[in-house]
Amino acid sequence: MSNASPPASLTNGPEAASAAADAAHRQPTASERARRQAEVVAALSAHVPAHALLWHAEDTTPYECDGLTAYRQRPLVVCLPETEAQVQAVLRACHALQVPVIARGAGTGLSGGALPHPMGVTLSLAKFNRILRVDAASRTAVVQCGVRNLAISEAAAPHGLYYAPDPSSQIACTIGGNVAENSGGVHCLKYGLTVHNVLKVRGFTVEGEPVEFGTAALDTPGFDLLAILVGSEGMLAVTTEVTVRLIPRPQLARCIMASFDDVRKAGDAVAAVIAAGIIPAGLEMMDKPMTAAVEDFVKAGYDLSAEAILLCESDGTPEEVEEEIAHMSEVLRAAGATAITVSGSEAERLRFWSGRKNAFPASGRISPDYMCMDSTIPRKRLADILLAIQEMEKKYGLRCANVFHAGDGNLHPLILFDANDADELHRCELFGADILETSVAMGGTVTGEHGVGVEKLNSMCTQFTTAENAQMFALKEAFDPLALLNPGKVVPTLNRCAEYGRMLVRGGQISHPDLPRF
Protein backbone atom coordinates (compact mmCIF):
# COMPACT_ATOMS: atom_id res chain seq x y z
CA MET A 1 0.00 0.00 0.00
CA SER A 2 1.32 3.46 -0.81
CA ASN A 3 2.16 6.03 1.84
CA ALA A 4 -0.46 8.43 0.49
CA SER A 5 -3.71 6.53 0.97
CA PRO A 6 -5.39 4.76 3.90
CA PRO A 7 -6.14 1.07 3.56
CA ALA A 8 -9.92 1.29 3.54
CA SER A 9 -12.68 3.76 2.78
CA LEU A 10 -15.27 5.02 5.23
CA THR A 11 -18.21 2.67 4.98
CA ASN A 12 -20.21 2.64 8.17
CA GLY A 13 -19.56 6.06 9.69
CA PRO A 14 -18.08 7.01 13.07
CA GLU A 15 -21.26 6.01 14.89
CA ALA A 16 -20.64 2.38 13.93
CA ALA A 17 -17.05 2.52 15.16
CA SER A 18 -18.23 4.20 18.35
CA ALA A 19 -20.84 1.49 18.94
CA ALA A 20 -18.23 -1.22 18.38
CA ALA A 21 -15.94 0.43 20.92
CA ASP A 22 -18.80 0.68 23.42
CA ALA A 23 -18.96 -3.12 23.47
CA ALA A 24 -15.18 -3.58 23.55
CA HIS A 25 -14.87 -4.69 27.16
CA ARG A 26 -18.18 -6.43 27.77
CA GLN A 27 -17.44 -9.33 30.06
CA PRO A 28 -18.24 -12.67 28.39
CA THR A 29 -19.80 -15.64 30.16
CA ALA A 30 -17.55 -18.59 30.95
CA SER A 31 -19.12 -20.70 28.22
CA GLU A 32 -18.79 -17.91 25.64
CA ARG A 33 -15.14 -17.50 26.53
CA ALA A 34 -14.34 -21.23 26.40
CA ARG A 35 -16.07 -21.68 23.07
CA ARG A 36 -14.38 -18.67 21.49
CA GLN A 37 -11.00 -19.61 22.93
CA ALA A 38 -11.10 -23.07 21.37
CA GLU A 39 -12.07 -21.55 18.01
CA VAL A 40 -9.25 -19.00 18.07
CA VAL A 41 -6.59 -21.47 19.21
CA ALA A 42 -7.58 -23.87 16.44
CA ALA A 43 -7.41 -21.11 13.81
CA LEU A 44 -4.04 -19.71 14.94
CA SER A 45 -2.46 -23.15 15.37
CA ALA A 46 -2.40 -23.43 11.60
CA HIS A 47 -0.06 -20.41 11.36
CA VAL A 48 2.26 -20.43 14.39
CA PRO A 49 4.06 -23.20 16.29
CA ALA A 50 2.49 -24.61 19.44
CA HIS A 51 4.95 -22.85 21.75
CA ALA A 52 3.88 -19.50 20.31
CA LEU A 53 0.30 -19.82 21.63
CA LEU A 54 -0.70 -19.37 25.26
CA TRP A 55 -4.23 -19.72 26.60
CA HIS A 56 -4.09 -21.40 30.01
CA ALA A 57 -4.63 -19.02 32.93
CA GLU A 58 -1.19 -19.54 34.43
CA ASP A 59 0.41 -18.63 31.10
CA THR A 60 -1.73 -15.62 30.16
CA THR A 61 -1.92 -13.94 33.59
CA PRO A 62 1.46 -12.18 33.14
CA TYR A 63 -0.09 -10.34 30.18
CA GLU A 64 -3.16 -9.06 32.04
CA CYS A 65 -1.91 -5.46 32.39
CA ASP A 66 0.83 -3.10 31.35
CA GLY A 67 2.57 -0.55 33.61
CA LEU A 68 -0.86 0.73 34.69
CA THR A 69 -1.49 -2.10 37.14
CA ALA A 70 -4.76 -0.74 38.53
CA TYR A 71 -6.73 -2.30 35.66
CA ARG A 72 -6.33 -5.97 34.76
CA GLN A 73 -7.91 -8.32 32.26
CA ARG A 74 -6.73 -11.79 31.32
CA PRO A 75 -6.52 -12.16 27.53
CA LEU A 76 -8.38 -14.89 25.70
CA VAL A 77 -5.21 -15.99 23.89
CA VAL A 78 -1.63 -14.70 23.74
CA CYS A 79 0.23 -15.18 20.45
CA LEU A 80 4.00 -14.71 20.13
CA PRO A 81 4.83 -14.79 16.39
CA GLU A 82 8.45 -15.04 15.28
CA THR A 83 8.27 -13.84 11.66
CA GLU A 84 6.45 -11.16 9.71
CA ALA A 85 4.72 -13.91 7.73
CA GLN A 86 3.30 -15.26 10.98
CA VAL A 87 2.12 -11.79 12.03
CA GLN A 88 0.36 -11.39 8.71
CA ALA A 89 -1.27 -14.81 8.93
CA VAL A 90 -2.43 -14.21 12.53
CA LEU A 91 -3.98 -10.87 11.61
CA ARG A 92 -5.77 -12.40 8.63
CA ALA A 93 -7.11 -15.24 10.75
CA CYS A 94 -8.30 -12.89 13.50
CA HIS A 95 -9.92 -10.61 10.96
CA ALA A 96 -11.77 -13.53 9.40
CA LEU A 97 -13.09 -14.51 12.84
CA GLN A 98 -13.66 -10.85 13.82
CA VAL A 99 -11.47 -11.32 16.88
CA PRO A 100 -9.99 -8.19 18.49
CA VAL A 101 -6.18 -7.89 18.42
CA ILE A 102 -4.12 -5.95 20.96
CA ALA A 103 -0.47 -5.51 19.97
CA ARG A 104 1.93 -5.57 22.92
CA GLY A 105 5.58 -4.61 23.26
CA ALA A 106 7.43 -4.72 26.58
CA GLY A 107 4.33 -3.78 28.58
CA THR A 108 5.94 -0.68 30.12
CA GLY A 109 3.11 1.65 29.04
CA LEU A 110 1.44 3.69 31.76
CA SER A 111 -2.07 4.34 30.44
CA GLY A 112 -3.49 0.83 29.94
CA GLY A 113 -2.85 0.90 26.20
CA ALA A 114 -1.98 -2.81 26.21
CA LEU A 115 -4.87 -3.85 28.47
CA PRO A 116 -6.14 -7.11 26.92
CA HIS A 117 -9.58 -7.63 25.44
CA PRO A 118 -11.57 -10.35 27.26
CA MET A 119 -12.42 -11.99 23.93
CA GLY A 120 -9.31 -10.97 22.03
CA VAL A 121 -5.80 -11.99 21.09
CA THR A 122 -2.85 -10.24 22.71
CA LEU A 123 -0.22 -10.13 19.96
CA SER A 124 3.14 -10.03 21.71
CA LEU A 125 5.94 -8.81 19.46
CA ALA A 126 8.70 -9.51 21.96
CA LYS A 127 10.54 -11.86 19.60
CA PHE A 128 11.06 -9.13 17.00
CA ASN A 129 14.22 -7.99 18.74
CA ARG A 130 16.90 -7.74 16.04
CA ILE A 131 18.80 -4.64 14.98
CA LEU A 132 18.81 -5.14 11.22
CA ARG A 133 21.17 -2.40 10.14
CA VAL A 134 23.08 0.64 11.43
CA ASP A 135 24.09 2.99 8.62
CA ALA A 136 26.63 5.52 9.88
CA ALA A 137 26.74 7.32 6.53
CA SER A 138 23.03 8.09 6.49
CA ARG A 139 22.83 8.26 10.30
CA THR A 140 19.96 5.80 10.46
CA ALA A 141 19.21 2.44 12.03
CA VAL A 142 16.65 -0.13 10.90
CA VAL A 143 15.34 -2.18 13.80
CA GLN A 144 12.55 -4.60 14.56
CA CYS A 145 9.75 -3.34 16.77
CA GLY A 146 10.83 -5.36 19.82
CA VAL A 147 14.30 -3.81 20.06
CA ARG A 148 14.81 -1.95 23.33
CA ASN A 149 15.18 1.81 23.10
CA LEU A 150 18.58 1.85 24.80
CA ALA A 151 19.87 -1.01 22.63
CA ILE A 152 19.67 1.25 19.58
CA SER A 153 22.07 3.76 21.14
CA GLU A 154 24.35 0.94 22.28
CA ALA A 155 24.54 -0.41 18.73
CA ALA A 156 25.18 3.06 17.30
CA ALA A 157 27.82 4.02 19.88
CA PRO A 158 30.84 2.63 17.94
CA HIS A 159 29.93 5.09 15.17
CA GLY A 160 29.75 8.05 17.55
CA LEU A 161 25.96 8.17 17.16
CA TYR A 162 22.91 7.63 19.35
CA TYR A 163 19.10 7.64 19.33
CA ALA A 164 17.90 10.80 21.08
CA PRO A 165 14.47 9.98 22.62
CA ASP A 166 15.15 8.51 26.05
CA PRO A 167 12.06 7.69 28.11
CA SER A 168 12.84 6.75 31.69
CA SER A 169 12.00 3.13 30.89
CA GLN A 170 14.48 3.07 27.98
CA ILE A 171 16.37 0.11 29.44
CA ALA A 172 13.21 -2.00 28.95
CA CYS A 173 10.73 -0.25 26.63
CA THR A 174 10.72 -1.16 22.94
CA ILE A 175 10.79 1.01 19.85
CA GLY A 176 7.43 -0.36 18.70
CA GLY A 177 5.86 0.81 21.95
CA ASN A 178 7.63 4.15 21.60
CA VAL A 179 6.06 4.56 18.16
CA ALA A 180 2.63 3.65 19.53
CA GLU A 181 2.83 6.22 22.35
CA ASN A 182 5.04 8.87 20.68
CA SER A 183 7.37 8.61 23.66
CA GLY A 184 9.74 11.38 24.68
CA GLY A 185 12.11 11.54 27.62
CA VAL A 186 14.29 13.99 29.48
CA HIS A 187 16.01 15.21 26.30
CA CYS A 188 12.92 15.68 24.15
CA LEU A 189 12.92 19.48 24.64
CA LYS A 190 15.97 19.87 22.39
CA TYR A 191 15.85 16.70 20.31
CA GLY A 192 12.16 15.99 19.94
CA LEU A 193 9.75 13.13 20.55
CA THR A 194 9.60 9.80 18.72
CA VAL A 195 7.71 11.40 15.82
CA HIS A 196 10.66 13.72 15.20
CA ASN A 197 13.19 10.87 15.19
CA VAL A 198 11.45 8.16 13.15
CA LEU A 199 11.74 8.14 9.38
CA LYS A 200 9.81 5.05 8.36
CA VAL A 201 7.54 2.40 9.85
CA ARG A 202 6.64 -0.94 8.30
CA GLY A 203 3.90 -3.26 9.45
CA PHE A 204 0.45 -4.65 8.67
CA THR A 205 -3.12 -3.43 8.70
CA VAL A 206 -5.78 -5.28 10.66
CA GLU A 207 -6.55 -7.26 7.49
CA GLY A 208 -2.91 -8.39 7.18
CA GLU A 209 -2.09 -6.03 4.34
CA PRO A 210 1.59 -4.95 4.27
CA VAL A 211 1.90 -1.22 4.80
CA GLU A 212 4.72 1.30 4.93
CA PHE A 213 4.58 4.81 6.34
CA GLY A 214 7.22 7.45 5.70
CA THR A 215 10.46 7.23 3.76
CA ALA A 216 14.19 7.62 4.17
CA ALA A 217 14.01 10.58 1.78
CA LEU A 218 13.72 14.17 2.96
CA ASP A 219 10.01 14.36 2.21
CA THR A 220 7.12 12.21 1.02
CA PRO A 221 4.31 12.93 -1.41
CA GLY A 222 0.74 13.04 -0.17
CA PHE A 223 -0.51 13.18 3.39
CA ASP A 224 1.89 12.65 6.29
CA LEU A 225 0.47 9.32 7.46
CA LEU A 226 3.63 8.57 9.43
CA ALA A 227 2.74 11.37 11.84
CA ILE A 228 -0.75 9.89 12.18
CA LEU A 229 0.59 6.42 12.92
CA VAL A 230 3.10 7.59 15.53
CA GLY A 231 1.12 8.03 18.72
CA SER A 232 -1.94 6.13 17.47
CA GLU A 233 -1.60 3.57 20.31
CA GLY A 234 -1.98 0.45 18.19
CA MET A 235 -5.36 1.48 16.78
CA LEU A 236 -4.41 1.82 13.11
CA ALA A 237 -1.77 -0.81 12.27
CA VAL A 238 0.66 -3.30 13.79
CA THR A 239 4.27 -2.11 13.62
CA THR A 240 7.01 -4.66 12.88
CA GLU A 241 9.99 -2.58 11.66
CA VAL A 242 11.15 0.99 12.29
CA THR A 243 13.79 3.18 10.65
CA VAL A 244 15.09 5.74 13.16
CA ARG A 245 17.22 8.83 12.87
CA LEU A 246 20.58 8.81 14.67
CA ILE A 247 22.49 11.92 15.72
CA PRO A 248 26.14 12.51 16.66
CA ARG A 249 26.95 12.09 20.31
CA PRO A 250 27.90 15.51 21.75
CA GLN A 251 31.49 16.11 22.72
CA LEU A 252 30.54 17.24 26.20
CA ALA A 253 27.50 17.44 28.45
CA ARG A 254 27.16 19.13 31.84
CA CYS A 255 24.19 19.41 34.16
CA ILE A 256 23.11 22.12 36.59
CA MET A 257 21.21 21.16 39.74
CA ALA A 258 19.40 24.27 40.98
CA SER A 259 17.51 24.45 44.28
CA PHE A 260 14.51 26.66 45.03
CA ASP A 261 12.77 27.42 48.31
CA ASP A 262 9.45 28.01 46.57
CA VAL A 263 7.74 26.06 43.77
CA ARG A 264 6.56 29.26 42.08
CA LYS A 265 10.14 30.49 41.81
CA ALA A 266 11.13 27.17 40.27
CA GLY A 267 8.26 27.28 37.79
CA ASP A 268 9.05 30.86 36.86
CA ALA A 269 12.71 29.91 36.41
CA VAL A 270 11.76 27.37 33.74
CA ALA A 271 9.89 30.03 31.78
CA ALA A 272 12.81 32.44 32.27
CA VAL A 273 15.34 29.99 30.81
CA ILE A 274 13.28 29.50 27.65
CA ALA A 275 12.52 33.23 27.42
CA ALA A 276 16.28 33.89 27.50
CA GLY A 277 16.56 32.02 24.20
CA ILE A 278 18.17 28.93 25.73
CA ILE A 279 17.03 25.47 24.65
CA PRO A 280 18.66 23.10 27.15
CA ALA A 281 19.33 19.49 26.27
CA GLY A 282 17.19 18.68 29.30
CA LEU A 283 15.13 20.77 31.71
CA GLU A 284 13.46 18.74 34.45
CA MET A 285 11.70 19.66 37.68
CA MET A 286 11.02 17.62 40.83
CA ASP A 287 9.14 18.69 43.94
CA LYS A 288 10.21 18.00 47.53
CA PRO A 289 8.33 14.70 48.03
CA MET A 290 9.81 13.30 44.84
CA THR A 291 13.38 14.35 45.63
CA ALA A 292 13.07 12.76 49.06
CA ALA A 293 11.87 9.46 47.56
CA VAL A 294 14.59 9.48 44.92
CA GLU A 295 17.43 10.46 47.24
CA ASP A 296 16.59 7.62 49.61
CA PHE A 297 16.70 5.23 46.66
CA VAL A 298 19.76 6.21 44.56
CA LYS A 299 21.68 8.81 46.62
CA ALA A 300 21.88 11.23 43.70
CA GLY A 301 23.03 14.12 45.88
CA TYR A 302 19.76 16.07 45.77
CA ASP A 303 19.06 19.02 48.07
CA LEU A 304 16.43 17.68 50.47
CA SER A 305 15.74 21.13 51.93
CA ALA A 306 14.56 22.53 48.59
CA GLU A 307 10.87 22.80 47.80
CA ALA A 308 11.77 22.03 44.17
CA ILE A 309 14.88 21.36 42.16
CA LEU A 310 15.63 21.85 38.48
CA LEU A 311 18.03 19.78 36.39
CA CYS A 312 19.25 21.82 33.42
CA GLU A 313 21.61 20.18 30.95
CA SER A 314 23.78 21.66 28.21
CA ASP A 315 25.52 19.64 25.52
CA GLY A 316 27.68 20.37 22.47
CA THR A 317 31.27 21.46 22.05
CA PRO A 318 33.19 22.42 25.21
CA GLU A 319 32.98 26.08 24.22
CA GLU A 320 29.22 25.93 23.63
CA VAL A 321 28.62 24.13 26.89
CA GLU A 322 30.72 26.55 28.95
CA GLU A 323 28.87 29.55 27.53
CA GLU A 324 25.40 28.01 27.93
CA ILE A 325 26.04 26.79 31.49
CA ALA A 326 27.17 30.28 32.48
CA HIS A 327 24.10 31.86 30.85
CA MET A 328 21.68 29.37 32.46
CA SER A 329 23.29 29.83 35.87
CA GLU A 330 22.85 33.58 35.59
CA VAL A 331 19.17 33.22 34.65
CA LEU A 332 18.51 30.72 37.46
CA ARG A 333 20.13 32.94 40.10
CA ALA A 334 18.08 35.91 38.91
CA ALA A 335 14.94 33.73 39.20
CA GLY A 336 15.66 32.99 42.86
CA ALA A 337 17.75 29.81 42.96
CA THR A 338 19.06 29.27 46.49
CA ALA A 339 21.85 26.91 45.40
CA ILE A 340 23.42 25.92 42.10
CA THR A 341 25.67 22.90 41.57
CA VAL A 342 27.27 22.19 38.18
CA SER A 343 28.44 18.66 37.41
CA GLY A 344 32.20 18.55 37.41
CA SER A 345 32.55 15.17 35.76
CA GLU A 346 30.62 12.76 33.58
CA ALA A 347 30.10 10.51 36.60
CA GLU A 348 28.52 13.36 38.55
CA ARG A 349 26.30 14.32 35.61
CA LEU A 350 25.05 10.75 35.34
CA ARG A 351 24.46 10.69 39.10
CA PHE A 352 22.24 13.78 38.84
CA TRP A 353 20.23 12.13 36.08
CA SER A 354 20.11 8.76 37.83
CA GLY A 355 17.75 10.29 40.34
CA ARG A 356 15.41 11.64 37.70
CA LYS A 357 15.52 8.39 35.72
CA ASN A 358 14.61 6.42 38.85
CA ALA A 359 11.70 8.60 39.94
CA PHE A 360 9.12 5.95 39.14
CA PRO A 361 10.79 2.98 40.85
CA ALA A 362 11.60 5.22 43.81
CA SER A 363 7.89 5.99 44.13
CA GLY A 364 7.18 2.26 44.04
CA ARG A 365 9.28 1.84 47.18
CA ILE A 366 7.11 4.19 49.24
CA SER A 367 3.64 3.12 48.07
CA PRO A 368 1.93 -0.17 47.16
CA ASP A 369 0.80 1.39 43.86
CA TYR A 370 1.00 4.64 41.97
CA MET A 371 -0.86 6.11 39.04
CA CYS A 372 1.30 8.30 36.83
CA MET A 373 -0.58 11.08 35.08
CA ASP A 374 0.69 12.69 31.90
CA SER A 375 -0.85 16.05 31.07
CA THR A 376 0.75 19.12 29.55
CA ILE A 377 0.33 22.78 30.37
CA PRO A 378 1.89 26.08 29.25
CA ARG A 379 5.27 26.46 30.95
CA LYS A 380 4.17 29.65 32.71
CA ARG A 381 1.51 27.65 34.61
CA LEU A 382 3.90 25.10 36.19
CA ALA A 383 3.66 26.63 39.65
CA ASP A 384 -0.12 27.00 39.35
CA ILE A 385 -0.64 23.31 38.62
CA LEU A 386 1.73 22.25 41.41
CA LEU A 387 -0.14 24.36 43.94
CA ALA A 388 -3.45 23.03 42.61
CA ILE A 389 -2.20 19.45 43.04
CA GLN A 390 -1.25 20.21 46.64
CA GLU A 391 -4.86 21.23 47.30
CA MET A 392 -6.09 18.07 45.56
CA GLU A 393 -3.98 15.97 47.93
CA LYS A 394 -6.08 17.34 50.79
CA LYS A 395 -9.32 16.93 48.84
CA TYR A 396 -8.78 13.28 47.97
CA GLY A 397 -6.71 12.23 50.99
CA LEU A 398 -3.84 10.86 48.90
CA ARG A 399 -0.18 11.79 48.49
CA CYS A 400 1.26 12.91 45.16
CA ALA A 401 4.93 13.19 44.14
CA ASN A 402 5.68 15.29 41.09
CA VAL A 403 8.28 15.14 38.35
CA PHE A 404 7.97 17.27 35.22
CA HIS A 405 9.51 17.52 31.78
CA ALA A 406 9.43 21.16 32.74
CA GLY A 407 10.94 22.54 29.54
CA ASP A 408 7.93 21.50 27.47
CA GLY A 409 5.31 21.59 30.22
CA ASN A 410 4.79 17.82 30.39
CA LEU A 411 3.65 16.81 33.89
CA HIS A 412 4.11 13.43 35.54
CA PRO A 413 2.31 13.59 38.90
CA LEU A 414 2.50 10.19 40.62
CA ILE A 415 -0.57 9.62 42.79
CA LEU A 416 0.27 7.15 45.57
CA PHE A 417 -2.44 4.68 46.59
CA ASP A 418 -3.26 1.04 47.35
CA ALA A 419 -5.03 -0.71 44.46
CA ASN A 420 -6.31 -3.38 46.87
CA ASP A 421 -8.40 -0.71 48.57
CA ALA A 422 -11.41 -0.02 46.31
CA ASP A 423 -12.06 3.35 47.91
CA GLU A 424 -8.45 4.47 47.45
CA LEU A 425 -8.55 3.39 43.81
CA HIS A 426 -11.77 5.35 43.33
CA ARG A 427 -10.27 8.46 44.94
CA CYS A 428 -7.10 8.02 42.88
CA GLU A 429 -9.13 7.98 39.66
CA LEU A 430 -10.97 11.12 40.70
CA PHE A 431 -7.67 12.77 41.66
CA GLY A 432 -6.18 11.89 38.27
CA ALA A 433 -9.22 13.18 36.38
CA ASP A 434 -9.05 16.41 38.37
CA ILE A 435 -5.39 16.92 37.40
CA LEU A 436 -6.16 16.32 33.73
CA GLU A 437 -9.20 18.56 33.63
CA THR A 438 -7.36 21.31 35.52
CA SER A 439 -4.55 21.03 32.97
CA VAL A 440 -7.03 21.50 30.12
CA ALA A 441 -8.54 24.50 31.93
CA MET A 442 -5.05 26.01 32.14
CA GLY A 443 -4.64 25.72 28.37
CA GLY A 444 -3.02 22.28 28.25
CA THR A 445 -3.88 18.76 27.11
CA VAL A 446 -4.73 15.45 28.77
CA THR A 447 -1.64 13.63 27.54
CA GLY A 448 1.92 14.44 26.53
CA GLU A 449 3.68 11.15 25.85
CA HIS A 450 2.04 8.27 27.76
CA GLY A 451 -1.07 8.11 25.62
CA VAL A 452 -4.76 7.91 26.47
CA GLY A 453 -5.22 4.14 26.65
CA VAL A 454 -8.12 3.37 28.99
CA GLU A 455 -6.93 5.70 31.73
CA LYS A 456 -7.88 9.05 30.17
CA LEU A 457 -11.03 8.23 28.20
CA ASN A 458 -13.33 10.37 30.35
CA SER A 459 -10.87 13.25 30.27
CA MET A 460 -10.87 13.15 26.47
CA CYS A 461 -14.56 14.07 26.72
CA THR A 462 -13.64 17.31 28.45
CA GLN A 463 -10.99 18.31 25.92
CA PHE A 464 -12.69 17.40 22.64
CA THR A 465 -16.16 18.05 21.34
CA THR A 466 -18.52 15.38 20.06
CA ALA A 467 -17.73 16.43 16.49
CA GLU A 468 -13.98 16.19 17.12
CA ASN A 469 -14.30 12.72 18.65
CA ALA A 470 -16.44 11.66 15.68
CA GLN A 471 -13.65 12.74 13.33
CA MET A 472 -11.17 10.62 15.27
CA PHE A 473 -13.50 7.64 14.98
CA ALA A 474 -13.74 8.32 11.25
CA LEU A 475 -9.94 8.12 10.96
CA LYS A 476 -9.94 4.91 12.99
CA GLU A 477 -12.58 3.41 10.70
CA ALA A 478 -10.58 4.30 7.59
CA PHE A 479 -7.88 1.90 8.78
CA ASP A 480 -9.98 -0.55 10.81
CA PRO A 481 -13.68 -0.60 9.80
CA LEU A 482 -14.59 -3.39 12.23
CA ALA A 483 -12.77 -1.74 15.16
CA LEU A 484 -10.71 -4.87 15.88
CA LEU A 485 -7.33 -3.23 16.63
CA ASN A 486 -7.09 -2.23 20.29
CA PRO A 487 -10.82 -1.47 20.61
CA GLY A 488 -12.24 0.55 23.48
CA LYS A 489 -9.11 2.66 23.87
CA VAL A 490 -7.94 6.22 23.15
CA VAL A 491 -11.08 7.79 21.66
CA PRO A 492 -14.12 7.90 23.98
CA THR A 493 -17.37 6.69 22.49
CA LEU A 494 -20.15 9.16 21.78
CA ASN A 495 -22.35 7.45 24.38
CA ARG A 496 -19.60 7.60 26.97
CA CYS A 497 -19.06 11.33 26.54
CA ALA A 498 -22.80 11.99 26.63
CA GLU A 499 -23.11 10.05 29.91
CA TYR A 500 -20.02 11.71 31.38
CA GLY A 501 -21.42 15.12 30.47
CA ARG A 502 -24.73 14.33 32.15
CA MET A 503 -22.96 13.29 35.34
CA LEU A 504 -20.90 16.50 35.38
CA VAL A 505 -24.01 18.60 34.82
CA ARG A 506 -25.60 16.94 37.84
CA GLY A 507 -22.54 17.89 39.86
CA GLY A 508 -21.21 14.36 40.20
CA GLN A 509 -18.21 12.51 38.86
CA ILE A 510 -18.00 9.08 37.39
CA SER A 511 -14.92 6.99 37.82
CA HIS A 512 -14.35 5.12 34.55
CA PRO A 513 -17.53 3.04 35.05
CA ASP A 514 -16.99 0.64 32.19
CA LEU A 515 -13.38 -0.28 32.95
CA PRO A 516 -12.91 -3.80 34.30
CA ARG A 517 -12.34 -4.36 38.00
CA PHE A 518 -10.07 -7.32 38.79
Side-chain angles (χ1 to χ4, degrees):
M1 190 181 75
S2 73
N3 182 54
S5 60
S9 61
L10 298 179
T11 55
N12 300 317
E15 292 81 5
S18 180
D22 264 324
H25 287 285
R26 181 185 71 81
Q27 292 302 302
T29 65
S31 60
E32 286 176 331
R33 183 178 172 90
R35 185 167 56 251
R36 191 59 158 168
Q37 187 179 69
E39 184 181 25
V40 171
V41 169
L44 298 188
S45 294
H47 306 292
V48 297
H51 64 262
L53 283 178
L54 308 175
W55 67 91
H56 297 298
E58 63 270 24
D59 297 323
T60 58
T61 297
Y63 295 87
E64 67 182 2
C65 68
D66 57 13
L68 181 65
T69 59
Y71 307 124
R72 298 173 183 269
Q73 170 65 65
R74 191 157 53 85
L76 186 72
V77 175
V78 176
C79 182
L80 295 95
E82 299 169 348
T83 66
E84 287 195 342
Q86 289 177 3
V87 172
Q88 183 179 43
V90 167
L91 286 170
R92 286 175 172 171
C94 288
H95 187 265
L97 292 172
Q98 295 191 19
V99 174
V101 176
I102 290 78
R104 179 187 172 97
T108 59
L110 293 168
S111 63
L115 184 74
H117 189 288
M119 296 289 276
V121 171
T122 290
L123 185 67
S124 171
L125 297 157
K127 295 184 179 180
F128 286 74
N129 57 7
R130 291 189 299 127
I131 295 175
L132 303 176
R133 174 168 79 252
V134 175
D135 188 334
S138 66
R139 294 181 179 174
T140 61
V142 181
V143 304
Q144 291 185 317
C145 60
V147 170
R148 294 178 301 109
N149 176 290
L150 186 59
I152 301 176
S153 290
E154 291 171 344
H159 305 284
L161 304 170
Y162 76 111
Y163 179 62
D166 57 344
S168 294
S169 59
Q170 69 176 150
I171 193 172
C173 66
T174 61
I175 191 64
N178 292 174
V179 167
E181 304 297 334
N182 192 20
S183 302
V186 298
H187 292 103
C188 65
L189 175 61
K190 183 173 182 178
Y191 295 109
L193 301 163
T194 300
V195 71
H196 304 113
N197 291 275
V198 165
L199 298 173
K200 187 165 62 174
V201 172
R202 290 182 58 243
F204 296 94
T205 69
V206 67
E207 297 167 338
E209 178 186 357
V211 64
E212 187 173 289
F213 303 89
T215 175
L218 291 177
D219 197 7
T220 59
F223 296 113
D224 186 4
L225 296 184
L226 176 62
I228 292 175
L229 182 76
V230 176
S232 61
E233 303 190 41
M235 292 180 64
L236 306 182
V238 174
T239 295
T240 56
E241 182 183 295
V242 183
T243 301
V244 302
R245 188 194 314 274
L246 303 175
I247 61 174
R249 188 168 294 279
Q251 295 179 32
L252 178 67
R254 298 180 72 190
C255 183
I256 298 173
M257 180 175 65
S259 303
F260 292 85
D261 59 9
D262 179 80
V263 294
R264 185 165 294 281
K265 291 179 183 178
D268 291 345
V270 172
V273 168
I274 303 300
I278 304 169
I279 304 297
L283 181 50
E284 300 287 304
M285 180 175 176
M286 288 181 280
D287 68 1
K288 192 170 187 175
M290 181 58 79
T291 56
V294 165
E295 186 62 20
D296 185 59
F297 183 36
V298 299
K299 306 296 187 293
Y302 291 162
D303 181 356
L304 296 180
S305 67
E307 291 298 318
I309 68 168
L310 295 181
L311 296 178
C312 314
E313 181 159 290
S314 175
D315 65 10
T317 66
E319 295 78 12
E320 290 170 335
V321 171
E322 182 179 2
E323 180 180 355
E324 192 168 79
I325 287 289
H327 192 184
M328 278 198 290
S329 298
E330 180 183 348
V331 172
L332 293 169
R333 287 192 186 95
T338 56
I340 290 179
T341 305
V342 181
S343 62
S345 65
E346 178 65 2
E348 187 173 29
R349 182 187 76 87
L350 293 175
R351 180 161 54 83
F352 286 174
W353 283 115
S354 72
R356 168 59 188 90
K357 288 279 190 176
N358 283 284
F360 291 3
S363 299
R365 296 175 73 242
I366 62 174
S367 176
D369 298 280
Y370 63 79
M371 186 175 290
C372 178
M373 307 313 294
D374 169 50
S375 62
T376 63
I377 57 167
R379 281 185 290 264
K380 63 183 179 181
R381 304 301 300 271
L382 281 170
D384 294 333
I385 191 69
L386 257 179
L387 294 172
I389 289 172
Q390 289 176 4
E391 291 302 311
M392 293 177 202
E393 288 184 277
K394 301 173 188 175
K395 178 179 179 181
Y396 299 106
L398 296 171
R399 296 173 296 158
C400 185
N402 294 279
V403 58
F404 297 169
H405 295 313
D408 54 4
N410 187 193
L411 320 179
H412 291 325
L414 278 75
I415 305 170
L416 310 180
F417 73 106
D418 184 350
N420 293 314
D421 184 325
D423 181 63
E424 280 204 16
L425 173 57
H426 177 69
R427 283 184 281 125
C428 178
E429 291 172 325
L430 294 178
F431 194 161
D434 206 345
I435 291 173
L436 298 178
E437 292 174 19
T438 301
S439 298
V440 172
M442 289 183 177
T445 66
V446 300
T447 182
E449 59 167 338
H450 292 174
V452 175
V454 297
E455 177 192 48
K456 304 184 183 78
L457 281 173
N458 283 345
S459 299
M460 287 283 283
C461 298
T462 68
Q463 179 162 1
F464 297 103
T465 66
T466 298
E468 289 167 333
N469 281 326
Q471 286 299 311
M472 285 188 268
F473 269 117
L475 175 64
K476 162 72 169 170
E477 193 193 19
F479 286 82
D480 180 15
L482 299 179
L484 295 177
L485 280 181
N486 218 8
K489 314 274 181 66
V490 186
V491 185
T493 65
L494 308 184
N495 287 338
R496 183 190 189 102
C497 284
E499 177 61 21
Y500 188 59
R502 284 192 293 271
M503 293 295 289
L504 292 178
V505 167
R506 292 200 297 269
Q509 293 245 12
I510 55 175
S511 175
H512 306 307
D514 54 353
L515 292 184
R517 296 278 189 261
F518 297 97

